[in-house]
Each structure stands twice: as structure tokens, then as C-alpha cells.
Amino acid sequence: MEFTINQILIAMILTILAGFSTAIGSVIAFFSKNDNLRILSFGLGFSAGVMIYISFMEILPSSFIDFKKYYNSSYGELLALLCFFGGIFLSAIIDKFIPEDVNPHEPKEDLSELKICPLPKKNEKAPAFHAGEPLKKINTKALKRTGIFTALAIAIHNFPEGFATFISSLDNLNFGVAIAVAVAIHNIPEGMAVSLPIYHATNDKKKAFIYSALSGIAEPIGAFVGAFLILPIMNGLTLAITFAIVAGIMVFISFDELLPAAKTYDKAHDSLYGLVFGMAVMAISLILLNP
């Protein structure tokens, strides 16, 4: 299976744009108040709706069809499901290796009662912090360390997302655009999680913005690795395997990252409304774009 330079270039551009949307989160963090973040809850729910719908209704069924071309119906579906759960397992393993205190997708302690957080001693964890929490007086060195380690954690998380965006865009541009937009919205609060600690520790917006933007660089790296590993051997079977894995990755991202993050800013079921709206928009767009 061959792809044109144009297809590869478009897929790479979409992945880069999705990755560097962390910088948008950084800018929002400088000017937003917590009361104005309900739209973020809706947006994260919307992203989850898009990813869940397209994974179960389009990408996984597409993998079933491709597998059945090489194996009989039962074995084909079984192999597709094994790859799907393999994608979930891969994402869970990556998540497991991120320390809880700097993992932006782990529940954090409430800082509303915290007045002073001393600088952690050697081998001691940095203070928990994430976007949306009220900020009290916290040791600036410890806070900056938290921001930097959060950036590294997000970069590791973004690697499989970049791979998923690139491969999906390569095979079907409609899928790719939808996934890139969903990932971009998902990256906004991650950018906030990086920039807020660094900004409040250094009072330097430029430095906070740079760290936030750099945390998204793993997505184009994931795309480059995907291009290097997959493109030389791409055929119907490898595409079926890749699609099933990508579906698993996106379902894990939705349930482990997007929906819990959306609840951080949720009021009056904003995240649920976003979830349903995302599914509806994806369903209608697929009907219109694939008559």
C-alpha cells in the first residue's frame, strides 16, 4: 500500500497542530478564571464523544473488515479485538510508568486548605498541582519542579496520540481531521497543567509558554516513529492491526483522561452534554462526508 507525499505531509501537519495546541492551554491559563472554564468541560466531553464514537463505529469495524480479508470471520474478529485491547493495555502501561504526583491524569489532592508547601527533600515527591485548583502560597522551587515534571509526563502521554492521529489521517482524511481536533481540545488543559505551576513559580509567561508548547512535541515524534515503522510494511493486514490498536488507544484516552479532566470543571453536566454533542456531530459528519 503506497501513500503520496501529499498524504504523508497533510497527516504530519495535522499531528503537529494537534500536539502544539498545548500552547493554547498555556495562553488560556494566563487570562482565564475558574468560573470561565465551563466551556473547557464541554470541550473535553466533546472530544471524548468524538473519539469514542469514531473508535467503535468506524475505526474498529473497519479493522474487522480488513482482518476478514485475511482470516475467516470468527478468527478475524478475535484478532481485531486482541489488537484493540492491546492498544488499551499499551496506553495503560505508559500511564503506569508516570509517577502519580506529576501525572496530569491522576486525581490530585485538594489544595484549597494548603497554605504552605515546603520544598520537598531528596527522594520526596513534588507537591500535587493541576489546572483548576485554587493556588495558595507554595514554595516556588517545588512548584517549578512540578511544572517541569508534568511537562515530561504529558510528553510521554502524547506519543501514542501522535501515532494515532498520523495513521488515521493517512488512511482517511475525514477521520484524521476529526481525531486531530479532538486531540487538540484534549491538549488544552494539559498545556494549562504545565504552564500554571511554572508561571506562578517564575512569574515568567514566556518560560511557561515555552515549556507548555514543548510538552506537545511528542505527538509529531510519535507520528515520525509511526511513519518510520509502519509505512515501509503498510498493507491491508498491517493497517487492520494498526487501526484496532489506534481504536484501543483512543478509547483509553477518552475514559482515563478526557472524561475525568472534564469533570474537574463540570457544572450542570457540561461534560455529559459535550459528550453527547460530540457523538452527534461525528455521526452526522460521517454520514455527510461518506454518503
Side-chain angles (χ1 to χ4, degrees):
M1 185 175 292
E2 293 184 0
F3 299 99
T4 65
I5 296 296
N6 248 9
Q7 286 176 295
I8 296 171
L9 190 61
I10 291 171
M12 194 64 70
I13 289 171
L14 284 173
T15 307
I16 291 170
L17 291 175
F20 285 103
S21 63
T22 51
I24 298 173
S26 179
V27 174
I28 291 174
F30 300 145
F31 302 105
S32 291
K33 297 178 180 178
N34 286 345
D35 292 342
N36 297 329
L37 292 176
R38 287 183 63 183
I39 188 66
L40 189 55
S41 175
F42 183 88
L44 289 168
F46 179 88
S47 296
V50 167
M51 285 193 174
I52 292 168
Y53 188 90
I54 202 171
S55 294
F56 284 122
M57 299 301 291
E58 291 289 332
I59 295 180
L60 192 57
S62 181
S63 178
F64 285 155
I65 292 169
D66 287 338
F67 265 114
K68 288 175 185 177
K69 293 176 183 176
Y70 293 86
Y71 304 95
N72 67 44
S73 180
S74 298
Y75 284 120
E77 288 190 7
L78 178 61
L79 288 170
L81 288 172
L82 285 173
C83 292
F84 170 76
F85 286 107
I88 292 176
F89 180 74
L90 174 65
S91 299
I93 289 294
I94 291 172
D95 198 66
K96 187 71 176 174
F97 280 102
I98 307 297
E100 286 186 13
D101 60 323
V102 294
N103 189 335
H105 308 123
E106 290 291 340
K108 310 296 183 187
E109 296 175 5
D110 184 9
L111 294 188
S112 58
E113 302 295 325
L114 188 61
K115 298 191 186 284
I116 296 178
C117 179
L119 179 65
K121 297 176 183 178
K122 191 176 182 181
N123 299 326
E124 201 172 60
K125 290 183 177 181
F129 181 87
H130 73 105
E133 289 180 337
L135 183 68
K136 300 292 181 182
K137 186 178 179 183
I138 297 177
N139 186 287
T140 56
K141 289 183 180 179
L143 192 55
K144 183 179 179 182
R145 177 172 173 263
T146 298
I148 292 170
F149 274 90
T150 300
L152 291 173
I154 287 172
I156 294 170
H157 271 286
N158 285 350
F159 187 86
E161 293 172 15
F163 175 80
T165 305
F166 177 76
I167 294 299
S168 302
S169 304
L170 206 55
D171 183 71
N172 186 313
L173 188 57
N174 295 334
F175 289 177
V177 171
I179 293 167
V181 170
V183 169
I185 294 172
H186 153 51
N187 282 344
I188 289 173
E190 293 188 344
M192 295 173 69
V194 174
S195 66
L196 278 172
I198 293 174
Y199 171 56
H200 285 286
T202 64
N203 202 29
D204 187 338
K205 289 183 179 180
K206 183 179 178 182
K207 183 176 288 186
F209 179 84
I210 289 171
Y211 274 106
S212 181
L214 287 177
S215 68
I217 201 170
E219 293 205 5
I221 291 175
F224 278 114
V225 170
F228 180 76
L229 294 178
I230 300 297
L231 289 183
I233 57 170
M234 184 68 84
N235 56 37
L237 183 58
T238 55
L239 193 63
I241 294 169
T242 304
F243 257 33
I245 292 173
V246 163
I249 290 171
M250 292 202 302
V251 166
F252 183 89
I253 290 169
S254 298
F255 287 109
D256 182 64
E257 301 178 17
L258 294 178
L259 292 176
K263 297 301 290 183
T264 302
Y265 312 98
D266 187 88
K267 287 183 181 178
H269 301 298
D270 294 324
S271 56
L272 177 61
Y273 301 148
L275 176 75
V276 174
F277 187 65
M279 287 184 170
V281 168
M282 198 68 250
I284 293 169
S285 64
L286 287 172
I287 291 170
L288 295 177
L289 295 172
N290 299 290

